[in-house]
Amino acid sequence: MGPLSARLLMQRGRPKSDRLGKIRSLDLSGLELLSEHLDPKLLCRLTQLQELDLSNNRLEALPDNLGLSHLRVLRCANNQLGDVTALCQFPKLEELSLEGNPFLTVNDNLKVSFLLPKLRKVNGKDASSTYSQVENLNRELTSRVTAHWEKFMATLGPEEEAEKTQADFVKSAVRDVRYGPESLSEFTQWRVRMISEELVASSRTQVHEADSPEKPPEAGAAHKPRARLVALKRPDDVPLSLSPSKRVCASPLAQVEGGPVAGSDDGQPLMKLEPLHFLQCHSKNNSPRDLETQLWACAFEPAFEEGATSQTVATCGGEAVCVIDCQTGIVLHKYKSSGEEFFSVAWTALMVVTQAGHKKRWSVLAAAGLRGLVRLLHVRAGFCCGVIRAHKKAIATLCFSPAHETHLFTASYDKRIILWDIGMPNQDYEFQASQLLTLDTTSIPLRLCPVASCPDARLLAGCEGGCCCWDVRLDQPQKRRVCEVEFVFSEGSEASGRRVDGLAFVNEDVVASKGSGQGTICLWSWRQTWGGRGSQSTVAVVVLARLQWSPTELAYFSLSTCPDKGIVLCGDEEGNVWLYDVSNILKQPPPLPAAPQAPTQILKWPQPWALGQAVTKTMVNTVVANASFTYLTALTDSNIVAIWGRP
């Protein structure tokens, strides 16, 4: 195909006309067009064009000056596009198709959402969720760049040349301001550069008008509420203490808010905890300067004896899975997989028979993440003894069934939950997993929770679109199943479809969930809810109480429970740990107050030292305690594993 001609445009345009200016829809698909064939001088004559189909061509880029200011629908599927920034010339675009462009990535999807504010559909799907993610991410980057600007400007001397220092600021911001996973670094650096240049331009304008240096106009942003953004994911590596003394926090006892809860057996307040260790054991390239790798999940190893408790915790984030002794702060084992980003870990305990015929209890750690693979780790020996190619997309979370030691649930961004039987290892410690069930979801599953009273029969999942339940009984014939019941948390048209990003049983009846209402954690009764459902497919939960939590709009802070102690735990965006003595709350005579119950206690972030300064700004993504509540592990978005212990 050669250059386009006016005659061809009129032949393929609608409505039929002898004037290019009257064409509203144009189909140029399947013509083997190259980028140079799109002549801006010709196409800019399509002054009323609203719909353009360029799919199934060989386009590597779109010219910057096509002049199609009224374009509302653009189809560019199945080309060779490698950049989307030229789309900003179509400010009225509402629908866009980019499937089948192998060089475009998730970064380009985010750029599209940022560049085209009126876009409603991308690749046939609603664009609102991506818009929300980009908006929140943009706020956080703006906040971080503004803070970097203030810090940068405070270090300058009066004699330093403004032009040079401002150019240096842009370079330093692109180099030093980080947020989100490595997979989104192209987008975040792109936005950081834009935000930095806008700050510099704004500063130059202000200086010119006032004829004297002044504080940049957006400096006040540091005092605004913290940016709201969806928690994302990144990678990194090595166990290093943050404090001057190895592994021991330099801070005194953490500040504590709220009243004490029921005492422990020795008469001490149950929640009297002190910070013990702050570790950088997931640093990328073993760099002590890595305060960016986000850590996502942790789990305590099952105790070897009934009634005992474990002090060994597994943590994951970046390319590494670490196993840590909470008492000493020593990283016992570390497993790395280059190019992986681990989002979830789960333990199981198997009784294996050795070659000599002896029975031996063996802890197996499953880890999964970005690549959709489940790795079964022989922790003591320090190697991977099995890989399950579970999903084609990333695995958000996984958990072992408490009813069957070899049954593993995996939940993926492909909107499927799969139940696997990992089997027993052979004499070479190799696993052969088999697939038992596939559970279809209508949105991404974020948390998995076997029902405490019947873990072999029902599975709860907190999803992007709400809380759902499946029948997982293996004596049923269907091996692929849809959601059996959807649970909603309030009356009204907006009751369903809300993200549930925290889910755990407090005991055999009470469920703690988070995400359905901003600033609260909901306690609801499984028995009463399930018992009153009848044949309904959508059921309102029987709420027992609501717990006051951070009013943040950020998502994906995972709550956990300590059932033996009746405790609910959750981190927040300021580095705090919220603790609730649920057993005491539920003992209050009915009816419980409608207002959210205050936390029993808030453990303040103790600000450990790293690289010569206090680490003050961090998010606690996950917090988990062992069964006896003697150790508590919190994971942050700044590559810090924080371990607290009872004195």
Side-chain angles (χ1 to χ4, degrees):
M1 178 70 192
L4 297 174
S5 65
R7 181 179 179 182
L8 177 65
L9 298 186
M10 287 185 287
Q11 286 177 345
R12 299 181 71 103
R14 297 287 185 277
K16 289 297 183 183
S17 173
D18 59 356
R19 294 178 59 185
L20 294 180
K22 291 188 177 182
I23 294 176
R24 293 179 176 272
S25 176
L26 180 60
D27 184 358
L28 298 178
S29 63
L31 297 180
E32 297 292 311
L33 292 174
L34 301 176
S35 299
E36 54 265 30
H37 294 156
L38 300 180
D39 182 3
K41 292 183 180 180
L42 176 63
L43 293 175
C44 71
R45 294 166 59 187
L46 299 164
T47 55
Q48 298 301 315
L49 191 68
Q50 296 186 15
E51 185 172 345
L52 176 60
D53 191 344
L54 293 171
S55 56
N56 300 304
N57 284 297
R58 296 161 58 193
L59 303 175
E60 295 182 359
L62 294 176
D64 293 327
N65 51 349
L66 292 178
L68 305 176
S69 59
H70 294 283
L71 199 65
R72 293 188 303 104
V73 179
L74 177 61
R75 300 184 181 92
C76 293
N78 302 316
N79 278 283
Q80 301 295 314
L81 296 177
D83 184 55
V84 296
T85 53
L87 293 172
C88 66
Q89 65 185 297
F90 310 127
K92 296 184 179 180
L93 205 63
E94 297 176 4
E95 297 185 22
L96 176 65
S97 175
L98 292 172
E99 305 109 316
N101 285 275
F103 303 116
L104 297 183
T105 69
V106 65
N107 292 277
D108 297 293
N109 294 337
L110 297 178
K111 288 180 182 179
V112 163
S113 294
F114 177 80
L115 294 168
L116 301 171
K118 293 189 176 181
L119 200 62
R120 294 185 296 104
K121 287 187 177 181
V122 178
N123 300 334
K125 298 179 180 178
D126 182 25
S128 59
S129 60
T130 306
Y131 265 126
S132 177
Q133 179 181 352
V134 168
E135 181 181 88
N136 292 326
L137 182 57
N138 188 60
R139 288 193 204 129
E140 177 67 18
L141 291 173
T142 301
S143 175
R144 294 191 178 207
V145 172
T146 302
H148 186 73
W149 167 265
E150 292 181 332
K151 183 177 179 181
F152 181 88
M153 296 302 290
T155 63
L156 299 181
E159 72 286 350
E160 297 188 65
E161 185 180 346
E163 293 289 332
K164 180 180 183 303
T165 56
Q166 290 171 343
D168 290 343
F169 163 71
V170 174
K171 292 179 182 178
S172 69
V174 173
R175 182 186 65 242
D176 298 334
V177 176
R178 291 286 184 271
Y179 195 83
E182 285 294 318
S183 58
L184 299 184
S185 61
E186 181 190 339
F187 172 79
T188 56
Q189 289 184 23
W190 177 72
R191 277 300 296 141
V192 165
R193 179 175 293 279
M194 293 172 69
I195 296 167
S196 303
E197 290 173 347
E198 289 166 4
L199 267 177
V200 168
S202 177
S203 174
R204 287 173 181 165
T205 301
Q206 199 172 41
V207 170
H208 176 73
E209 291 177 350
D211 198 27
S212 63
E214 291 185 12
K215 196 173 185 179
E218 294 199 25
H223 304 292
K224 295 178 182 178
R226 190 180 188 280
R228 316 297 192 215
L229 77 85
V230 174
L232 300 173
K233 315 184 188 224
R234 317 175 184 121
D236 311 339
D237 233 300
V238 107
L240 296 174
S241 171
L242 294 184
S243 58
S245 60
K246 187 173 176 129
R247 298 192 185 89
V248 179
C249 175
S251 306
L253 287 179
Q255 301 174 47
V256 173
E257 290 184 356
V261 296
S264 61
D265 293 340
D266 58 7
Q268 297 296 316
L270 178 61
M271 294 186 185
K272 186 178 180 182
L273 296 161
E274 64 179 17
L276 300 178
H277 315 290
F278 289 80
L279 312 177
Q280 281 179 290
C281 48
H282 293 264
S283 297
K284 191 172 185 179
N285 300 323
N286 295 346
S287 170
R289 295 191 165 274
D290 179 8
L291 292 174
E292 297 176 352
T293 291
Q294 294 195 23
L295 310 182
W296 291 107
C298 60
F300 277 89
E301 182 179 13
F304 275 78
E305 298 178 5
E306 188 174 349
T309 190
S310 172
Q311 64 186 40
T312 304
V313 68
T315 62
C316 72
E319 299 178 337
V321 175
C322 296
V323 178
I324 303 166
D325 184 307
C326 290
Q327 183 178 22
T328 63
I330 295 174
V331 179
L332 303 173
H333 308 281
K334 185 172 183 178
Y335 175 82
K336 286 184 61 179
S337 178
S338 180
E340 180 61 278
E341 185 172 3
F342 289 105
F343 296 155
S344 187
V345 288
W347 292 91
T348 189
L350 305 179
M351 190 63 72
V352 299
V353 179
T354 66
Q355 293 182 356
H358 302 297
K359 289 185 177 181
K360 182 180 180 182
R361 193 177 182 280
W362 180 32
S363 291
V364 176
L365 181 65
L370 186 64
R371 300 178 67 178
L373 306 176
V374 177
R375 290 174 171 83
L376 301 173
L377 306 180
H378 189 316
V379 175
R380 304 297 178 221
F383 70 90
C384 177
C385 49
V387 176
I388 305 172
R389 300 187 180 278
H391 298 269
K392 292 183 179 179
K393 291 190 176 182
I395 295 174
T397 189
L398 46 75
C399 75
F400 279 98
S401 167
H404 302 279
E405 60 186 8
T406 63
H407 287 188
L408 175 68
F409 291 99
T410 60
S412 169
Y413 286 82
D414 63 12
K415 299 180 183 178
R416 290 188 179 91
I417 300 169
I418 298 179
L419 174 59
W420 304 87
D421 187 347
I422 66 171
M424 299 297 289
N426 59 23
Q427 292 182 345
D428 295 321
Y429 297 102
E430 297 171 338
F431 287 90
Q432 292 293 328
S434 58
Q435 186 172 330
L436 301 177
L437 290 176
T438 299
L439 311 176
D440 291 315
T441 68
T442 56
S443 61
I444 297 171
L446 304 171
R447 311 291 177 215
L448 297 179
C449 191
V451 173
S453 58
C454 52
D456 54 350
R458 296 286 184 277
L459 175 74
L460 285 178
C463 305
E464 285 284 0
C467 182
C468 298
C469 180
W470 285 265
D471 182 341
V472 293
R473 291 174 294 179
L474 295 176
D475 58 359
Q476 304 299 306
Q478 301 88 355
K479 298 306 177 185
R480 185 161 192 161
R481 303 172 189 177
V482 297
C483 168
E484 184 178 11
V485 178
E486 179 184 0
F487 296 108
V488 295
F489 295 85
S490 60
E491 301 295 334
S493 59
E494 298 182 359
S496 62
R498 295 183 178 178
R499 177 192 296 121
V500 173
D501 57 7
L503 191 67
F505 272 85
V506 179
N507 52 41
E508 287 203 347
D509 176 39
V510 180
V511 186
S513 62
K514 181 181 71 67
S516 59
Q518 185 176 326
T520 61
I521 294 171
C522 179
L523 299 180
W524 52 283
S525 169
W526 162 260
R527 290 196 187 104
Q528 294 180 55
T529 301
W530 190 255
R533 77 180 184 95
S535 58
Q536 300 175 77
S537 59
T538 301
V539 180
V541 301
V542 177
V543 177
L544 303 175
R546 296 187 187 275
L547 310 177
Q548 177 190 347
W549 182 65
S550 168
T552 180
E553 293 177 5
L554 299 176
Y556 312 128
F557 294 96
S558 177
L559 67 78
S560 68
T561 60
C562 188
D564 290 350
K565 301 295 182 180
I567 302 297
V568 174
L569 303 162
C570 194
D572 71 8
E573 78 282 11
E574 300 296 339
N576 301 319
V577 176
W578 298 60
L579 302 96
Y580 308 85
D581 181 358
V582 174
S583 59
N584 273 6
I585 292 173
L586 296 177
K587 286 177 184 176
Q588 297 177 30
L592 290 173
Q597 302 280 293
T600 308
Q601 208 167 322
I602 298 177
L603 300 180
K604 292 291 189 179
W605 180 247
Q607 300 184 11
W609 283 71
L611 305 176
Q613 60 184 355
V615 180
T616 59
K617 191 169 184 179
T618 192
M619 291 194 294
V620 172
N621 293 328
T622 302
V623 54
V624 174
N626 62 353
S628 62
F629 208 80
T630 50
Y631 294 103
L632 181 153
T633 301
L635 304 185
T636 73
D637 72 335
S638 53
N639 189 29
I640 299 173
V641 178
I643 300 174
W644 308 66
R646 289 175 62 191

